Amino acid sequence: MKSSRLQFLLLSLLSSTFLLQLHAIHGVDFYPGPTPSAQPPAAAGDTDFIRTSCNATLYPELCYTSLSRYARSVQKDPGQLARVSIGLSLYRVKRMITYVSNLSHQADYGADSRAASALHDCFSNFGDAADEIYGSLKQMRQLRSSSKSSFMFQMSNVQTWMSAALTDEDTCTDGLQDVADGPMKKDICERVERVKKLTSNALALVNRYAEIGMN
């Protein structure tokens, strides 16, 4: 139990610190809420760029609604759009870790050891996903386009880590299949599904950026 709590605290600190650094560098706010009114509105072409880019994802409407608020920062830069999308996915994964951790301490499992085990595994899966998405975001910040081969090697790392994160998120819901149906299971599955969609969209935008970079 101590190791699980320590892992949670370290992951929370790591992702929070990195997101604050990213905000300072790029001026991007990954926390939910309306775009601050003090900022000038994004140009129509910038939001159109996000709309068009999101058509390459499996969930284009969610992609657009979650990323359009960052149009002013993204402008028409596919690399920046991919970075913002990855950052948003990391933030949502961090929130899921917090939610599962709190739930595991509050829930009354009774004799249902499967539910306790599934929550523990879900916590672990999302911890792995956070590490992988963080690695992806760090690699995106360190991209060097001195050659196509170097660019594609680095992008391959990002694609691999984002794919692994999506697999880990899938594994969380797979582990809940044997848990009895109820409000807790339903709520977890719905939350995980949204996170999976955001991660899937981020991966699609990464793939799109990789394709553009090769042309």
Side-chain angles (χ1 to χ4, degrees), residues 27-55:
V28 174
D29 182 6
F30 290 105
Y31 292 84
T35 302
S37 57
Q39 293 187 0
D46 296 340
T47 54
D48 288 344
F49 169 75
I50 292 179
R51 172 73 75 182
T52 301
S53 300
C54 284
N55 288 335

Side-chain angles (χ1 to χ4, degrees), residues 103-155:
L103 191 61
S104 66
H105 292 119
Q106 297 170 4
D108 181 10
Y109 304 112
D112 191 356
S113 60
R114 290 175 300 182
S117 177
L119 273 181
H120 179 273
D121 290 344
C122 191
F123 178 88
S124 178
N125 293 145
F126 269 85
D128 291 341
D131 286 341
E132 290 149 358
I133 298 173
Y134 173 78
S136 299
L137 198 49
K138 184 177 180 181
Q139 182 74 92
M140 287 290 292
R141 290 182 62 213
Q142 297 172 344
L143 277 178
R144 298 291 181 270
S145 56
S146 55
S147 68
K148 284 189 176 181
S149 60
S150 175
F151 174 80
M152 287 310 299
F153 174 75
Q154 293 172 88
M155 288 305 299

Side-chain angles (χ1 to χ4, degrees), residues 1 21 33 53 59 66 68-69 82 96 101 107 119 122 145 155-156 167 173 198 206-207 213:
M1 182 63 71
Q21 290 174 342
S53 300
Y59 311 100
S66 63
S68 59
R69 71 181 68 181
M96 191 67 197
S101 177
L119 273 181
C122 191
S145 56
M155 288 305 299
S156 177
T167 298
T173 48
L198 289 171
V206 165
N207 292 340

